[in-house]
Amino acid sequence: MPTTTPLLQIENLTTSFQTNDSAVQAVRGVSLHVNHAEILAIVGESGCGKSVTALSILRLIPIPPGRFESGEIKFNNQDLLNLSEADMQKVRGNDISMIFQEPMTSLNPIFTIGDQIGEAIIQHQNTTKGETRKQTLELLYKVSIASPEIRIDQYPHELSGGMKQRVMIAIAIACRPSLLIADEPTTALDVTIQAQILNLLSSLKQESEMSILLITHNLGIVAQFADRVTVMYSGKIVEEASVDSLFESPMHPYTRGLLNSLPKEDNKSKLESIPGSVPHPAYLPQGCAFHPRCKDAMPRCQKQPPLSNLKKESTHKVACWLYEECVKEVR
Amino acid sequence: MTTMISIRSLKKHFFIHDGFLSRNTKTVKAVDGVSLDIDHGEILGLVGESGCGKTTLGRMSINLIEPTSGEVFFDRVNILKLDKQSLNKLRPKMQIIFQDPFSSLNPRFTVERIIGEAMMVHGLADKSNLRSKITEIMQKVGLPNSFMNRYPHEFSGGQRQRIGIARALSLSPRYLVCDEPVSALDVSIQAQIINLLQELQEKENITILFISHDLNVVKHLSHRTAVMYLGQIVETAPTEILNKDAAHPYTRALLAAKPSTNPKKTNNHVSLSGDVPSPLNPPSGCHFHTRCPEAMDRCKTEKPTTLELAKEHTVKCHLYN
């Protein structure tokens, strides 16, 4: 464990949504931390709660129907869940900012690119019009948009998908945040553009030492760009490790299943798939949510396994009864 | 092996009017002179970025979109010249699976009707044996019988895609166009569907045109791969050779851009600069020269022709002249 306090520390976060019949928990007791100048990836399939975790950090969950049932989100030692709305507004876009999945729909079609980037700057810094424009141009240059002097006065429909995502990144880094949340930043983009955007993000990270919380379902992106990774399944973290450790020795049967279901580099044999599908969050199985699909399931799995360290000195954590023996030794 | 599908200089141009009363029209050359052969029982992977015309090509190959010019032969029959009646007779032999399992199933039909409708229309089943035929097909794609009277909204993405596959298979097609069948699905479900397609293809020896932007999936599944860029096929080769010795700079860039799942193996980031040019106004000469790291002077003016590098390996690039 690093001695310095992490930039962001989430403890036991539970976020639920009220439906007609009952409250459905989308995030169920998630604890994680993001260190300074680190890229933490959250991977998982759709509906596993990775986006809700991210939106909870910025308190962008509509309340009601959403509700934070328990937990705290500590950012620079202040609990974001206890801040007033006005104080929270100062954090959003300034200390923590976010890039969304769909660059096509997250820009306002009736304002120019310059207006939208400038808005973020004016909101948090008292700058004059001329200064704002100067900073906006610098930002466009920084995110490698060709001929920024022309682009600044254009509207979103005049830009391609990759350029829109660059503009989104420019808005997000306008106030030099210390944490950038990227929610599937490249899912809507083509592979060659995806590589450009990811290269841009990692060079920005290196320059300004900001931390990135990268949410994705693409394990290739995780392997290439993240430092640490947490795997989520049905609202819970099932495994947490450094990227090297996770891809070298995945522990949780779900993580193994995910890695096995990817087409291999030099193997044409049948893919190993995980049978069944993700359970509906309102009808979760008892205990470990993965056990109905797990080939190593045992009677114990009716009870929820805790997320614990595998070895002393190690930061590889897993929530599975298979490793109970190792975990006991650590304690 | 004999050729199943033969496409000859196929073109599709869409005309766009500048304004309501304006006489100016612009042309989008979605598919611009594509020739391609698919053998009996072969899976041909078709890759390319969005907007390169791969879906249009796939749909034209079964006459769902009418081409501007060119020919498509299905087992030596030119399907573009057929009259309506004979085309309808041929329709069951060529089927398509769509990308989005959420919008390609009628929400007001039960699974039974979705799968059974086409068989009734084409007279492949009557009221007495329809149910048993549907049961058989559902078993084939791994759907339990109890689903028969349920509606699409009750199913997950993977299950819906199975329904879509069952619908296509209900007519026992010999040629199947799979238009990004797994890109809307999660990884663990994706593997299930890929396995299913592979099994079905091996068992029934169906010819498949597999359209995808995911090179890993295409590499796993297809025997041969064709790469498309701005309406043209720039390279075709047996999948193994394409992945080892890609000739076209665009193919190489595509392969390099795909992130490897091995953290130790860092990508040699030769990522392409810039975006795909607008098909309204494609670059002169070789369409790729604006982004090509190896572009020469002649690429700007001269259109490259298709060259045969080795058996079954063709490329459209001036580098190999």
Side-chain angles (χ1 to χ4, degrees), chain B residues 162-204:
Chain B
R162 282 176 200 265
I163 298 172
I165 295 174
R167 174 175 63 184
L169 290 179
S170 67
L171 302 171
S172 9
R174 290 171 57 211
Y175 171 54
L176 191 59
V177 176
C178 301
D179 191 359
E180 307 247 16
V182 296
S183 45
L185 305 176
D186 279 317
V187 201
S188 71
I189 310 298
Q190 195 173 322
Q192 293 174 8
I193 299 295
I194 292 172
N195 283 342
L196 175 68
L197 284 173
Q198 209 169 8
E199 260 173 44
L200 292 170
Q201 197 272 337
E202 278 162 19
K203 242 185 254 165
E204 321 212 343

Side-chain angles (χ1 to χ4, degrees), chain A residues 284-316:
Chain A
L284 287 178
Q286 251 206 327
C288 170
F290 186 61
H291 84 261
R293 301 176 75 189
C294 181
K295 57 174 193 271
D296 300 315
M298 16 182 210
R300 292 220 60 172
C301 300
Q302 297 287 338
K303 261 177 68 191
Q304 176 65 45
L307 185 70
S308 14
N309 267 357
L310 267 184
K311 289 184 211 122
K312 261 183 197 160
E313 318 281 300
S314 134
T315 50
H316 199 137

Side-chain angles (χ1 to χ4, degrees), chain B residues 132-163:
Chain B
S132 68
K133 283 203 166 169
I134 295 174
T135 314
E136 195 186 309
I137 292 156
M138 283 175 72
Q139 243 163 21
K140 223 191 260 177
V141 300
L143 287 171
N145 247 335
S146 53
F147 285 3
M148 206 180 286
N149 294 317
R150 289 163 67 179
Y151 290 89
H153 75 266
E154 299 175 63
F155 300 107
S156 66
Q159 285 166 334
R160 277 184 234 202
Q161 201 54 291
R162 282 176 200 265
I163 298 172

Side-chain angles (χ1 to χ4, degrees), chain B residues 232-293:
Chain B
Q232 295 183 335
I233 297 217
V234 295
E235 185 165 7
T236 58
T239 303
E240 252 169 64
I241 293 176
L242 189 94
N243 279 280
K244 247 188 279 156
D245 303 303
H248 200 283
Y250 178 61
T251 315
R252 279 189 242 147
L254 271 186
L255 289 168
K258 123 193 136 178
S260 160
T261 45
N262 182 354
K264 300 252 156 65
K265 199 166 128 196
T266 41
N267 285 7
N268 42 339
H269 295 298
V270 279
S271 66
L272 291 177
S273 54
D275 290 305
V276 182
S278 159
L280 265 177
N281 189 12
S284 59
C286 170
H287 289 343
F288 186 59
H289 84 257
T290 49
R291 303 172 79 196
C292 183

Side-chain angles (χ1 to χ4, degrees), chain B residues 199-229:
Chain B
E199 260 173 44
L200 292 170
Q201 197 272 337
E202 278 162 19
K203 242 185 254 165
E204 321 212 343
N205 202 29
I206 307 175
T207 308
I208 293 181
L209 176 67
F210 190 90
I211 301 171
S212 180
H213 64 268
D214 188 333
L215 285 150
N216 284 325
V217 173
V218 168
K219 183 178 169 187
H220 180 81
L221 206 59
S222 62
H223 305 127
R224 219 150 50 86
T225 306
V227 183
M228 237 179 138
Y229 189 75

Side-chain angles (χ1 to χ4, degrees), chain A residues 64-83:
Chain A
R67 196 165 81 85
F68 299 112
E69 283 187 14
S70 69
E72 52 183 35
I73 300 174
K74 275 202 168 154
F75 178 76
N76 278 339
N77 286 325
Q78 55 178 347
D79 189 355
L80 295 182
L81 293 183
N82 286 335
L83 287 185

